[in-house]
Amino acid sequence: MRAIRAASAALLGAAALALTTPAVAMATAAAPVTPFGFAVTPSVIAAGGQVTLTVTGCSSTATATSGVFDDTVIPSGGSARASIFWDAKPGAMYEVTFTCNGEEGTTDLTIAGGTPAPTPTRTATPTPTRTASPAATRTPTSSSTAIAPPGGVKGGLGGSFIGMNGTELAIGTGLVAAAALGTMLVVRRRSANRQH
């Protein structure tokens, strides 16, 4: 009976270790973390639109470069706006490179699908109608321009998640180890109390 309890505690500890290994491996294999933070807002934009380029934690001015907008200088700890070229290919993904003190970080910028410039579509204009009454003649003149959206909203993290740091990994590992140790102690106490 005691061997079964010890084996189940060992299996529980091995399962906890196996479940934490992929998270550690994924955090280790993540993109290299830069000493400064950066973001492109929004991450999906139509051709001709403007994006906000933000850099945090940079002690000097930073630059942002891409094949879809002109090189942009970003002030220390601030942000700048860049205009997307009108001839940007819809649906294409462009890499944006941020440079601060010789360090580089990259993120992606996607051009919204559809046509590069919105194509207005006219609604049908009703023809004038006459009523039987000679005093009332109506002439509808309303027309409108409707622009169809290029596609659905692309949700996600949007550049708000860069990666895990060493402190978070150490805290997570400590919590898993504490849970495994607590489980082992509870199982041992129960087995010691049941001996006759």
Side-chain angles (χ1 to χ4, degrees):
M1 200 66 159
R2 188 172 177 182
I4 293 174
R5 289 187 190 130
S8 65
L11 285 175
L12 183 61
L17 181 63
L19 291 174
T20 58
T21 303
V24 173
M26 188 167 72
T28 306
V33 178
T34 60
F36 62 95
F38 53 88
V40 177
T41 310
S43 61
V44 178
I45 186 97
Q50 285 194 337
V51 292
T52 302
L53 306 166
T54 307
V55 174
T56 58
C58 183
S59 60
S60 65
T61 58
T63 58
T65 57
S66 180
V68 74
F69 58 79
D70 291 325
D71 292 359
T72 306
V73 177
I74 305 166
S76 176
S79 62
R81 295 186 63 80
S83 295
I84 304 299
F85 297 146
W86 279 103
D87 61 349
K89 184 179 178 187
M93 186 177 294
Y94 292 88
E95 186 174 83
V96 179
T97 303
F98 291 88
T99 306
C100 172
N101 297 329
E103 296 281 333
E104 287 188 350
T106 60
T107 188
D108 292 328
L109 174 65
T110 304
I111 305 302
T115 57
T119 306
T121 57
R122 290 209 163 262
T123 58
T125 304
T127 57
T129 58
R130 296 203 181 254
T131 60
S133 164
T137 302
R138 294 184 185 215
T139 309
T141 58
S142 67
S143 67
S144 64
T145 303
I147 300 174
V153 175
K154 294 186 178 181
L157 294 174
S160 64
F161 181 75
I162 295 175
M164 297 180 75
N165 61 26
T167 305
E168 290 174 342
L169 289 174
I171 290 171
T173 304
L175 289 172
V176 170
L181 180 66
T183 303
M184 220 167 65
L185 289 175
V186 168
V187 170
R188 290 184 77 191
R189 279 189 185 167
R190 285 186 181 170
S191 65
N193 290 340
R194 291 188 175 200
Q195 289 181 357
H196 298 299

